[in-house]
Amino acid sequence: MTELTLIVPCYNEAQNVDAFYDRCLQVFEPAEFEVIFVNDGSKDDTYKKLQHLHEEYSNVLVVNFSRNFGKEAAIYAGLHYATGTYLSIIDADLQQDPEIVKHMTEILEKKPDVDVVAAYQKQRHEGKFMAWCKDHFYRFINRLSEVELRENASDFRTFRRNVQEALLDMPEYFRFSKGLFSWVGFETEYIPYVAAERFAGTTKWSFAKLIKYAMEGVISFSTMPLQLATFCGALVSVFAIVYGIIIIAHTLLTGIDVPGYATTIVVVLFLGGIQLLVMGILGEYLAKTYIQGKHRPVYVVKKVLEKKE
Ligand code: UDP
Ligand code: MG
């Protein structure tokens, strides 16, 4: 039985996959690990490179997607094909050193109570604005949701098969790994690491993509935004009652006052704004429910290059 499975999502990583595999060979004995490369609809030569690796090495399995389904789908597919006692999710760009995976498996071997070893970034390379956004995202989601997310911890984790089974049992379409790992529970140990520079190529994350991902995280793990309507409604009602009493008293004492255009327009716009916002939030949840309701698969496989025995 394979000791360790490395799950490697790849999207346009043609310049990295060979270097990644070489680095694995420096760290592990060929017999003790397998690599599952998931080619997530790359537009460059990634698949060709992976075919070569598969031809040359017997511990390489390649899952080729029919199009780009995203990193989360690639991780889910990797989990499906993994056979190792320990499993690790790692990027193809060598920002995360396989040496750290070795350290993670040693922790799992030494401590039978620990089921997941997750790495968090000690230092971040990004700018102040990005760091500020991420800080606030973590605070926001931790306050709103039932799951507790560790700041700066990514999907770079090594875990046991019981965790793999738990994750596979969650076939949800909108996958937010950090939240899923937290949701399934298990004893998790966090270790610090420093992410290296990308070996080659560029990051696939734009600011807009990160915002979308963050919103998916919140919607997947919290229904609190839906309560915004109840909260706003209650607040506005109390305000309306107090204001109503004031107006009635004022009218009784001083007679009918015609001006009030500014107040009226402000109130109408304010309430209109809140109503649209709440409807938008409702729509987000409804859309996710609608798509999930179709029970479409998380990914579609074009071809699997099985490990050669
Ligand atoms: N990735 C993927 N599908 C995508 C985008 C990214 O499989 O649609 C993979 C990518 O090839 C890499 C990993 O996810 O192995 C992390 O991506 P990236 O390095 O761009 O993210 P960053 O390290 O900048 O957070
Ligand atoms: Mg990267």
Side-chain angles (χ1 to χ4, degrees), residues 125-180:
H125 298 296
E126 62 224 6
K128 274 209 178 109
F129 176 66
M130 199 61 165
W132 184 89
C133 287
K134 284 191 178 171
D135 268 357
H136 281 77
F137 166 69
Y138 281 109
R139 265 188 231 173
F140 183 65
I141 197 167
N142 283 340
R143 190 165 296 176
L144 283 192
S145 68
E146 54 184 314
V147 295
E148 183 75 26
L149 300 189
R150 170 82 180 224
E151 216 175 318
N152 297 339
S154 61
D155 322 311
F156 183 28
R157 287 159 196 258
T158 305
F159 45 93
R160 295 180 199 278
R161 289 187 75 82
N162 49 4
V163 183
Q164 171 200 18
E165 279 155 22
L167 291 171
L168 283 172
D169 273 345
M170 303 174 92
E172 48 203 85
Y173 189 82
F174 297 97
R175 306 187 71 78
F176 182 72
S177 276
K178 284 179 230 197
L180 294 177

Side-chain angles (χ1 to χ4, degrees), residues 8-13 38 40 68-71 74 90-93 95 198 202-205 209:
V8 192
C10 305
Y11 178 58
N12 295 346
E13 303 284 6
V38 183
D40 184 15
N68 179 255
F69 283 92
K71 182 183 179 186
I90 183 168
D91 291 353
D93 55 12
Q95 284 194 285
R198 232 173 188 284
T202 52
T203 177
K204 277 93 202 168
W205 289 98
K209 262 189 173 178

Side-chain angles (χ1 to χ4, degrees), residues 2-11 13 17 20-21 24 28 30 32-40 46-47 50-51 53-54 57-65 71 73-93 101 159 161 164 168 299 301 303-308:
T2 316
E3 231 169 275
L4 171 71
T5 302
L6 295 167
I7 298 171
V8 192
C10 305
Y11 178 58
E13 303 284 6
V17 287
F20 175 84
Y21 190 81
C24 290
F28 305 106
E32 67 181 8
F33 78 105
E34 65 175 4
V35 185
I36 299 183
F37 286 106
V38 183
N39 178 33
D40 184 15
T46 304
Y47 185 58
L50 293 178
Q51 277 177 314
L53 279 174
H54 173 258
Y57 301 102
S58 60
N59 61 350
V60 172
L61 185 149
V62 179
V63 182
N64 193 25
F65 279 1
K71 182 183 179 186
I75 293 174
Y76 189 52
L79 287 172
H80 187 81
Y81 289 92
T83 61
T85 313
Y86 303 125
L87 297 88
S88 192
I89 299 170
I90 183 168
D91 291 353
D93 55 12
V101 176
F159 45 93
R161 289 187 75 82
Q164 171 200 18
L168 283 172
Y299 57 87
V301 173
K303 194 172 166 76
V304 179
L305 308 177
E306 297 280 357
K307 274 196 310 180
K308 288 190 296 226

